[in-house]
Amino acid sequence: MSSCPVTLHDIYLARARIAGQAARTPLVKSISLSECFEAEVHLKLETLQPSGAFKLRGALNAIAALDEATLARGVTTASTGNHGRAVAWAASRLGARAIICVSGLVPANKVAAIEALGAEVRTVGRSQDDAFVEARRLVNEEGMTLIEPFDDPLIVAGQGTIGLELMEDLPELDRVLVGLSGGGLLGGIGRAVRAINPHVQVTGVSMMKGAAMIESLAAGRPVAIDEVETLADSLGGGIGLENRCTWALVREVMSDHCQVSEHAIAAAMVHFLEVEKMLVEGAAVVGLAALEEHALDIRGEHVALIVSGNGVDMATWQRARAMIDN
């Protein structure tokens, strides 16, 4: 494993490549959270991407970099939902066939959203690793190109464009809280913001169980873990035992991390709908869950929470509501 070869320059190149396709999403101040935490708390609304989540940035950057002959053979990936939707959207825009491989744990609403974009969905096994087996078969036997969910410099650079926007819209930024799964989002944002201002704190947040990156960092190497059902389903999945890029990058750019309970995620989802008036998925609210559950002292700070995606169905939201009511 070597440090991910993504530079600030690569992130600027990614921004040029995805311009006019991915949205430059707004950063809005939350009055309620700012008052609650005695800080300037802002929400980075990646829910407003055309595909509904931040993953579009990396997928567009990777697919747009392919030559015509490679694009004609089609693209594939394995996904917990949002990356698959992003690859489907980008492939449709760029005229490529797409096959998205998912596990049986991916919610039906996310599968339907991928299919609505014209991609074929193949459901394989009970983990993202199982889905990757089929994706790699498509690469080896049918000549398709694998669009990695996170462990690729082009993906990381695409997600890093969020960091550029954060620093431009809030140059006083002191801390950013980012959902941590495979590390593409946190790694890209961390590379960008800390290259511009090394004093920015980059706080990663994972769910309590099934947090592959946290387990791998603790072990000192990538490790395999069992996936478990969680409200933050987009944070599920392994990081790959042969991780080439994001494990080392997260170690380099992450300042600290928190793990949050299902109850804390549920409470944050309810807050977002009832107070912020946003229906978002569990992975999108883990920053707030960390602030609440770990009583992080951010008084006087300028803070950004990455609201990463809107891929939630009502059944999942009602399950979150029931956790709070009970």
Side-chain angles (χ1 to χ4, degrees):
M1 292 171 294
S2 60
S3 181
C4 190
V6 174
T7 66
L8 185 61
H9 182 240
D10 293 324
I11 296 171
Y12 275 108
L13 290 176
R15 179 153 75 174
R17 193 176 285 123
I18 70 177
Q21 302 281 352
R24 192 191 196 288
T25 57
L27 182 70
V28 299
K29 181 177 178 179
S30 168
I31 300 300
S32 64
L33 296 180
S34 296
E35 291 178 352
C36 177
F37 294 105
E38 300 180 36
E40 296 285 322
V41 180
H42 294 76
L43 309 176
K44 181 62 169 167
L45 300 182
E46 287 298 294
T47 50
L48 299 180
Q49 288 294 349
S51 68
F54 76 93
K55 288 282 192 177
L56 184 61
R57 296 173 184 261
L60 272 170
N61 193 40
I63 296 174
L66 300 176
D67 60 40
E68 289 187 10
T70 302
L71 200 62
R73 291 193 293 272
V75 296
T76 186
T77 194
S79 172
T80 55
N82 286 336
H83 178 65
R85 191 160 38 154
V87 169
W89 192 95
S92 175
R93 280 299 185 96
L94 297 172
R97 176 190 180 207
I99 298 178
I100 312 301
C101 303
V102 303
S103 81
L105 292 178
V106 173
N109 70 301
K110 292 190 175 183
V111 173
I114 293 169
E115 291 175 331
L117 291 168
E120 177 185 342
V121 176
R122 295 188 183 178
T123 302
V124 183
R126 294 286 296 174
S127 73
Q128 190 170 18
D129 288 340
D130 292 338
F132 257 117
V133 172
E134 174 62 9
R136 292 193 174 97
R137 186 196 69 78
L138 291 169
V139 171
N140 294 331
E141 297 182 12
E142 299 187 25
M144 302 187 85
T145 294
L146 180 65
I147 306 299
E148 293 278 1
F150 53 86
D151 193 31
D152 180 277
L154 287 168
I155 296 293
V156 173
Q159 321 307 21
T161 60
I162 297 171
L164 298 182
E165 293 171 17
L166 287 176
M167 298 306 295
E168 290 166 352
D169 293 345
L170 189 64
E172 309 92 342
L173 183 68
D174 295 303
R175 182 193 300 265
V176 57
L177 288 97
V178 189
L180 177 61
S181 180
L185 178 62
L186 185 143
I189 291 175
R191 175 67 88 208
V193 301
R194 301 196 77 180
I196 295 168
N197 179 4
H199 299 295
V200 175
Q201 295 291 109
V202 178
T203 299
V205 189
S206 303
M207 62 284 190
M208 198 66 73
K209 296 181 180 179
M213 182 61 79
I214 296 301
E215 295 292 336
S216 297
L217 292 172
R221 69 188 192 285
V223 296
I225 63 162
D226 292 331
E227 289 186 46
V228 298
E229 188 176 32
T230 173
L231 290 170
D233 55 87
S234 292
L235 299 184
I239 70 165
L241 296 181
E242 303 300 323
N243 188 285
R244 302 173 294 116
C245 180
T246 57
W247 182 82
L249 180 59
V250 169
R251 285 212 311 173
E252 180 183 344
V253 303
M254 187 170 70
S255 308
D256 55 5
H257 68 267
C258 302
Q259 289 178 264
V260 293
S261 67
E262 293 298 298
H263 188 273
I265 297 169
M269 290 175 71
V270 170
H271 169 89
F272 263 81
L273 183 59
E274 295 189 346
V275 180
E276 308 295 339
K277 308 304 181 186
M278 302 177 193
L279 180 61
V280 298
E281 62 188 86
V285 304
V286 293
L288 173 57
L291 290 177
E292 292 279 13
E293 189 164 42
H294 294 275
L296 299 181
D297 186 1
I298 60 170
R299 285 174 296 178
E301 292 185 6
H302 293 81
V303 177
L305 309 182
I306 307 300
V307 186
S308 53
N310 63 13
V312 62
D313 59 8
M314 287 308 300
T316 301
W317 194 89
Q318 288 165 356
R319 181 157 56 95
R321 175 79 261 185
M323 285 186 187
I324 305 306
D325 292 341
N326 297 330

